[in-house]
Amino acid sequence: MSDKPIYLTRDGEVAEMVLNRPDKLNALNHEIWQTIPKLVREVADDDAIKVLIVRGVTPKAFAAGADIAEFPVVHASEQSATAYHNDIHEAFEALATLVKPTIAQIQGICFGGGCALALCCDIRYGDDTSRYCIPPAKLGIAYSLGETKRLTDLVGPSKAKEMLMGAKVLDADEALATGLLTRLFPAADLARETRAYAESLCGLSQFTIRAVKQIVQSIGEGATADNELSRSLQRAAFKGPDYREGRDAFLEKRTAAFTYR
Ligand code: COA
């Protein structure tokens, strides 16, 4: 067990980024924000890793948001506040733009910056203990456009406003119904089901999975028709090893062994 507030573990082709401040419900301190891009880079650079799961170390919380106890220090001057918010922005961007698929595995409290971090993952699997809230209105702060967009893209403008204006807490059923949560499991099944999905991805074409991620990202940025990115991915696919292997495996009635990294 690491004593660091965030750490990476590897098991086969799946890595886990673990938030590790259980006595503070994994509140995200400055050190965590600064470490996230480094850990994400490690995952990106390691060809042996295909999928990243992000989770809290305690069943009580994914994360209870940014560490409010640090606010007086990080907001002591305009300079320190700018540096702090840049670090948070870089952490979100690093996770959201990791080329490999990411899954947030959510138990308990998933509030504020913790919820925003989960929104940077491709998929959110939660259990029936999970609760979701983004409460800037309780702190008198303005929420960033990037994070507001990620929430709005998932749940729609009306639900996003209801959550943000009212600091409304969603239980797991509501989070599933709004689309914030991708899938809901009983607490006893969450880790196993998350792992099973992650491992199922490892057996498929990483070229296709990463292409899906980039194209959905492009749609989120406003693309409505095929663009240079989607065309170049389609061209590259038919020249790549995974297409040949997938096609041959189907014709030869065997399981494909994809090699793209
Ligand atoms: N920042 C710093 N510390 C936090 C924290 C946060 N965002 N959220 C929880 N903690 C700390 C508490 O101060 C407490 O520490 P202590 O035992 O040293 O006093 C510990 O974590 C446990 O939290 P507690 O409030 O006692 O748990 P609870 O189950 O009664 O309540 C919450 C859980 C999530 C409702 C409550 O902790 C809370 O409202 N947290 C703030 C959430 C928030 O506003 N996040 C957005 C930040 S921008």
Side-chain angles (χ1 to χ4, degrees):
M1 176 70 70
S2 172
D3 58 0
K4 294 183 180 160
I6 183 168
Y7 60 86
L8 211 56
T9 64
R10 293 175 179 75
D11 183 2
E13 296 175 313
V14 180
E16 292 191 351
M17 188 161 73
V18 183
L19 302 164
N20 186 32
R21 296 186 73 208
D23 53 339
K24 299 290 177 189
L25 300 178
N26 300 326
L28 304 159
N29 62 12
H30 201 176
E31 183 181 349
I32 293 180
W33 295 120
Q34 288 175 317
T35 307
I36 287 172
K38 293 176 197 156
L39 298 185
V40 169
R41 214 170 303 127
E42 271 185 49
V43 171
D45 291 345
D46 188 339
D47 277 353
I49 297 174
K50 292 181 178 169
V51 181
L52 175 65
I53 294 170
V54 183
R55 67 174 175 88
V57 76
T58 163
K60 286 188 183 162
F62 180 78
D67 186 339
I68 300 168
E70 279 186 342
F71 280 11
V73 177
V74 294
H75 292 112
S77 69
E78 201 169 324
Q79 206 181 4
S80 63
T82 303
Y84 174 71
H85 288 284
N86 283 345
D87 287 340
I88 292 179
H89 176 74
E90 278 178 31
F92 288 146
E93 283 304 302
L95 186 58
T97 60
L98 173 64
V99 69
K100 300 177 184 182
T102 53
I103 308 168
Q105 178 183 311
I106 307 166
Q107 294 179 280
I109 298 291
C110 184
F111 280 19
C115 191
L117 195 66
L119 290 172
C120 292
C121 292
D122 299 312
I123 287 159
R124 279 151 295 283
Y125 280 0
D127 75 9
D128 43 23
T129 70
S130 61
R131 293 194 292 145
Y132 305 80
C133 176
I134 305 182
K138 279 193 172 175
L139 294 161
I141 55 180
Y143 204 52
S144 84
L145 191 142
E147 303 329 305
T148 305
K149 178 168 172 18
R150 283 200 184 98
L151 179 68
T152 306
D153 285 349
L154 270 184
V155 306
S158 186
K159 282 279 177 196
K161 287 178 196 164
E162 186 189 32
M163 277 186 80
L164 291 166
M165 290 175 172
K168 187 171 165 51
V169 180
L170 303 190
D171 65 19
D173 287 321
E174 286 175 298
L176 183 68
T178 59
L180 196 159
L181 203 52
T182 316
R183 208 168 278 276
L184 172 58
F185 297 102
D189 298 343
L190 176 67
R192 184 170 31 79
E193 293 285 356
T194 307
R195 182 87 202 174
Y197 183 70
E199 284 176 0
S200 77
L201 292 181
C202 294
L204 298 169
S205 164
Q206 301 309 301
F207 176 88
T208 301
I209 287 167
R210 295 173 197 183
V212 168
K213 182 157 178 168
Q214 291 174 74
I215 291 171
V216 173
Q217 172 77 17
S218 183
I219 292 167
E221 289 163 0
T224 54
D226 265 312
N227 54 19
E228 189 41 42
L229 170 75
S230 63
R231 285 193 204 95
S232 70
L233 285 167
Q234 284 174 294
R235 283 194 300 272
F238 286 111
K239 291 182 193 152
D242 279 10
Y243 160 67
R244 280 193 302 276
E245 172 61 10
R247 177 200 59 198
D248 291 352
F250 175 79
L251 295 174
E252 293 161 17
K253 301 190 186 307
R254 60 176 172 80
T255 303
F258 294 110
T259 54
Y260 178 88
R261 296 291 180 273

